[in-house]
């Protein structure tokens, strides 16, 4: 499979292949996975478990309201 240079430069050279019933997807793999996790976690490093859980719950409720689901 050929991946164009601009895509490789943007997303890297390594990918996981994820298969679905009707398609496959290439998911980029970070050169340094641990650094990627730290970057993604960002401010969460200093947050308590309760704060993180409350943020997740609030986000899920907001998404449900947007979709018209009032659970």
């Amino acid at each position: 499979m050929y991946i164009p240079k601009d895509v490789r430069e943007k997303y890297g050279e390594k990918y996981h292949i994820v298969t679905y019933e009707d398609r496959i997807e290439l998911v980029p793999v970070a050169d340094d996975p641990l650094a990627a996790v730290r970057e993604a976690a960002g401010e969460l490093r200093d947050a308590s478990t309760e704060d993180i859980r409350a943020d997740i719950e609030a986000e899920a409720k907001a998404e449900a309201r947007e979709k018209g689901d009032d659970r």
Side-chain angles (χ1 to χ4, degrees), residues 10-49:
K10 184 174 182 179
Y11 297 106
E13 300 276 338
K14 297 180 183 178
Y15 296 85
H16 286 289
I17 297 174
V18 181
T19 58
Y20 297 96
E21 288 181 21
D22 60 344
R23 68 184 189 278
I24 63 168
E25 290 185 12
L26 299 177
V27 179
V29 176
D31 291 332
D32 184 352
L34 187 53
V37 169
R38 285 186 181 131
E39 183 179 329
E43 64 193 43
L44 293 179
R45 261 186 279 174
D46 299 327
S48 71
T49 304

